[in-house]
Amino acid sequence: MKSSFNCLEDLLANNYPVIACESPLQERHRLLTRIAAYCQNTGNKAYIWNLNESSIKELAVGVKENLILREFNDYKPTVKQNKEDYFQVLNFWKGYSEIGILIVENIFPWIKENNNQSADFLIVSSWIKSSLINLKHSNQDSGKTTILLGHHAEITSEMAAIIPLWTQELPDTQEIIDNLINSKILPSTYTDQDWLEIAYSSAGLYISDIISCFKDIEKTHPTGNSSEIAKLLLSRKIQLLNRLYDIEFLPPPKVQLGGLELMQESFKKFKRLLTPRAKQYNLRVPKGIMLVGPPGTGKSHSAKACSQNMGIPLIMVDWGNFRSFGNQAEVKLKRLLRLVDRLNQVILYFDDFDKGFAGDDDLAKRLAGQLLTWMQERTSDVLVIASVNRMEWLPPELTRAGRFDYLFKVDLPNNGERHTIFKLHAARFDKRFRNSNDPWSEDEWRRILKATNRCVGSEIQTIVERAAFSIFCTMTAEDTYTSSELPPLELTIEALLEERRQINPLAIREADRVESMRNKADQQALPSSLRDESKFAVGNINIFS
């Protein structure tokens, strides 16, 4: 499989007069070095121009494969009287007699679709577009190529038809291994398995970022083995991805989920679709899963449970935040989808998916269309999960069959599920609940479950945490510290009931809205939970006792 750079070199070899190139800023130095090396190998020259320099520099590669910038005196810009004079380099290159490659940086703001711009801006934009079209026709088969370089290559639709676009993709594992071996920053004694482990840990980063991470690791762990290096690299990668993409990247977490057995069983089956045997039968993971239900019922926690059951990382994204990016929203989504495609086996979780469509504007529709197109055409093993409170806010095309393959209703927990959720949270503070122990009687549990009817998982968590805090304050003097063994913290029925009295559950406070959400989910979604067959089920209560 060709690397991203090889595809660019193919375009250069075919003598395209103008090429649009999209490359991230951190890869700029490597890209310029690669283009300069290509020109030296083919007997051509490479030049670069940008607004900051306002002059042309010649690019070359030294004996140590370092990038060299030399003065170029053939281009002498005239005094700038008009705004378009800043871009007179285009006319110079059209008439220049020598052959080679001229890199023009950061010109895309003037050649993209421009709306609501000033008259002066539109005049300059039209002048630049006309100059590029003239370049395209004048330099055809001349041996001269103009590379338009920027971190986001966006051009008008009419120009896109005549200017090919090259996008620097994230490197695959083999490309990562090849570049790391050539860089000689890791021991040559590594085995093929060592290199593969390193490559998997760094997948999703550009080569420049990977090398930068290795240099940081080398300062603190100069003699680490491959497994230790891979773990440190993964940690740095997670921090970098979170910052670059505004996401929360989580390795498969260890979580406990109370109830929702039907949905969890489906998650375990989905794991089998990642196996080579499933690929032999042309089976693949679902296009998408939608979790529908009132707030606080455990939709985000369910996504983490899916990550745990399938053994693949989880990327959590607030879909509503895309609207805050304005004109950059589609670019942000495009970059994110490229990332998950390269990571391949990963869960992409969109939290509060419906809130991004509350405004019913053009941006929301374009984002939805972009996501749906990707979901339909992707070939990677990315599982998309979206949580939804109000299905009526979603465009109809999102909920029809063939879009999201599975819709699960994540409902208010029944008595048996609330019992399990209480025990899970109580075990964090009270040792008596650990190892499947249960210090309370059935009647005591019935008091709690009756009092917490219509409470969701997040509210139960709050009740337990506040009760533990209250008991801690009564058993421990203020501002005291002791190194001796701490007395056990034991939760009481009375403390839990007191905390319950102090909160007003959402399903009671906003009963009409919550019931509307549940009814909408009932109409289209599959149940997530089995019928309550526990001893605390409503049908098992003796009303005559």
Side-chain angles (χ1 to χ4, degrees), residues 414-417 419 446 531-538 540:
N414 57 42
N415 282 3
E417 288 175 327
H419 173 248
R446 290 193 187 281
R531 179 180 176 182
D532 189 3
E533 300 289 349
S534 72
K535 60 185 177 182
F536 302 109
V538 175
N540 293 335

Side-chain angles (χ1 to χ4, degrees), residues 189-291:
T189 56
Y190 275 8
T191 65
D192 290 346
Q193 187 59 39
D194 292 335
W195 286 116
L196 203 57
E197 184 179 15
I198 293 289
Y200 281 144
S201 297
S202 54
L205 296 179
Y206 287 99
I207 300 297
S208 299
D209 292 327
I210 296 172
I211 292 175
S212 177
C213 287
F214 274 120
K215 290 180 178 178
D216 289 340
I217 292 172
E218 190 177 25
K219 295 175 184 177
T220 54
H221 296 79
T223 59
N225 58 42
S226 61
S227 295
E228 184 180 5
I229 295 296
K231 290 179 181 177
L232 293 169
L233 179 59
L234 177 61
S235 175
R236 280 169 169 75
K237 179 181 83 170
I238 291 172
Q239 296 174 9
L240 190 57
L241 292 181
N242 289 347
R243 190 169 71 250
L244 290 176
Y245 293 90
D246 296 308
I247 60 175
E248 184 179 0
F249 185 103
L250 299 174
K254 294 182 178 179
V255 297
Q256 293 178 301
L257 191 63
L260 307 179
E261 296 90 351
L262 292 176
M263 184 169 60
Q264 290 198 72
E265 189 60 34
S266 296
F267 293 160
K268 293 174 183 176
K269 291 179 180 178
F270 295 153
K271 182 177 182 179
R272 300 183 62 187
L273 297 175
L274 301 174
T275 63
R277 177 59 62 87
K279 300 291 187 295
Q280 291 176 327
Y281 284 97
N282 294 322
L283 297 172
R284 56 186 301 187
V285 295
K287 295 185 185 74
I289 298 172
M290 191 175 289
L291 309 180

Side-chain angles (χ1 to χ4, degrees), residues 63-112:
V63 292
K64 296 182 179 180
E65 298 185 353
N66 57 309
L67 186 65
I68 300 172
L69 272 70
R70 297 172 179 159
E71 295 297 326
F72 178 73
N73 298 320
D74 288 359
Y75 175 64
K76 295 179 172 55
T78 59
V79 177
K80 300 175 179 62
Q81 297 179 342
N82 302 304
K83 291 183 174 64
E84 55 266 31
D85 290 339
Y86 284 91
F87 302 96
Q88 60 184 279
V89 65
L90 300 176
N91 282 340
F92 163 80
W93 187 245
K94 182 181 69 172
Y96 189 56
S97 58
E98 302 293 332
I99 64 173
I101 295 174
L102 174 64
I103 302 167
V104 178
E105 288 193 286
N106 301 320
I107 203 173
F108 291 112
W110 286 273
I111 59 175
K112 67 178 184 178

